[in-house]
Amino acid sequence: MNSEFSITEQKNQLRQQMRQIRRAMPPEKRETADKAICEAVLAHPDFMRAKQIFAYVAMPIEVQTKGILEACLAMGKTLALPVCETASHAMTFYRLDDMAELTAGAYNIPVPPVSAARVCTPDAETLVLLPMTAYDAQGYRLGAGGGYYDRFFAQYPFLRTLGICYADCFAEVLPHDEYDQKMQACITENGLEDFHGRTE
C-alpha cells in the first residue's frame, strides 16, 4: 500500500474495500459462512470453558451472531454486550438476560439494558468475541474505526480474544500503529487461525 497515505487513510480505504466484498457476497454464501462460523465458535475450547462471554450484536454486513448469543443464554453463561460512549470512545459491557431486552443504541447497534447492576467486569474466565472488517496473518484486526476495542484491551491485556470474520476479508498485512491490539485467534468459515507465539 502506498506509503504516502497515512495509516488512518490506508485503514479507511481498506474498510471501504472490505465492505464492498461483503456486500457482494451472495446471500446463500453468507448464510453458509455464518452457520459454519457459529458452529466453530460454539465448539471452540475457550468458548466452552468461559463462564462469561463478551459478544456483540452483528450489523447486516457482519458475521451474524444471533445463534451464538442464543446459545450463551441457553447454556447459562453470563452474556455481556458493549455499550459505546461516543464522546469518550469508551466501551462498557452490560449483561443481557434475554434477546427481547435489546434496544437501539449508539450507531443504531442493539444494546442491553444499561444499569449499574448489569455492568460486567472481565476476568480470567471471560472470552471476548471480536467483530471486525478484516484481519491479517499477524493477528491484527481492522475494526469500524472508533478504537473502542483497542482502548478496552489496553485496560485488560489478560483477556482471551477470539475474532470472527469472513475468509474473503483476509489481508496479508494490515496497516497498524502502537495502539492496535492483536487478537489471539480468529474463526472464519474455513476454520481457526491461531496467532499465539507469532511475531511481526
Side-chain angles (χ1 to χ4, degrees), residues 22 25 29-44 47 56 61-65 67-68 129-130 132 135 162-169 186-192:
R22 292 184 183 204
M25 285 176 70
K29 179 180 178 180
R30 183 191 299 278
E31 188 178 335
T32 301
D34 287 344
K35 184 181 178 186
I37 292 168
C38 176
E39 289 174 354
V41 169
L42 299 184
H44 194 281
F47 178 87
Y56 66 96
I61 62 169
E62 292 180 321
V63 175
Q64 294 305 294
T65 57
I68 297 170
L129 301 180
L130 287 171
M132 68 192 74
Y135 74 102
L162 183 60
I164 301 174
C165 194
Y166 294 119
D168 286 351
C169 295
C186 181
I187 286 178
T188 74
E189 66 271 30
N190 293 339
L192 176 73

Side-chain angles (χ1 to χ4, degrees), residues 167-186:
D168 286 351
C169 295
F170 171 79
E172 191 62 39
V173 179
L174 286 173
H176 60 268
D177 56 31
E178 68 271 23
Y179 300 109
D180 290 309
Q181 305 286 323
K182 287 185 179 183
M183 55 188 166
Q184 278 96 32
C186 181

Side-chain angles (χ1 to χ4, degrees), residues 14-24 61 133 144:
L14 270 172
R15 283 187 190 100
Q16 290 177 0
Q17 292 171 7
M18 294 299 176
R19 284 170 184 151
Q20 286 171 357
I21 287 171
R22 292 184 183 204
R23 289 190 185 102
I61 62 169
T133 307

Side-chain angles (χ1 to χ4, degrees), residues 1-156:
M1 197 165 284
N2 196 325
S3 59
E4 291 179 11
F5 290 107
S6 70
I7 286 179
T8 300
E9 288 170 327
Q10 291 176 42
K11 286 181 176 180
N12 286 337
Q13 203 173 72
L14 270 172
R15 283 187 190 100
Q16 290 177 0
Q17 292 171 7
M18 294 299 176
R19 284 170 184 151
Q20 286 171 357
I21 287 171
R22 292 184 183 204
R23 289 190 185 102
M25 285 176 70
E28 61 276 11
K29 179 180 178 180
R30 183 191 299 278
E31 188 178 335
T32 301
D34 287 344
K35 184 181 178 186
I37 292 168
C38 176
E39 289 174 354
V41 169
L42 299 184
H44 194 281
D46 285 343
F47 178 87
M48 292 190 287
R49 269 195 303 267
K51 293 183 178 177
Q52 186 168 239
I53 304 291
F54 282 16
Y56 66 96
V57 177
M59 298 305 281
I61 62 169
E62 292 180 321
V63 175
Q64 294 305 294
T65 57
K66 187 172 182 246
I68 297 170
L69 305 184
E70 290 174 340
C72 288
L73 294 172
M75 294 166 76
K77 294 180 184 290
T78 298
L79 173 63
L81 303 176
V83 175
C84 298
E85 312 205 6
T86 54
S88 63
H89 278 218
M91 186 170 63
T92 304
F93 281 82
Y94 293 87
R95 192 184 73 249
L96 182 76
D97 294 331
D98 190 290
M99 296 293 282
E101 295 176 332
L102 292 170
T103 57
Y107 310 109
N108 208 32
I109 298 171
V111 297
V114 173
S115 71
R118 287 182 181 248
V119 173
C120 291
T121 304
D123 57 26
E125 295 182 318
T126 301
L127 174 67
V128 184
L129 301 180
L130 287 171
M132 68 192 74
T133 307
Y135 74 102
D136 73 8
Q138 287 73 47
Y140 286 105
R141 59 181 280 278
L142 183 66
Y148 291 97
Y149 279 93
D150 290 322
R151 289 182 182 85
F152 188 77
F153 293 134
Q155 288 180 276
Y156 303 103

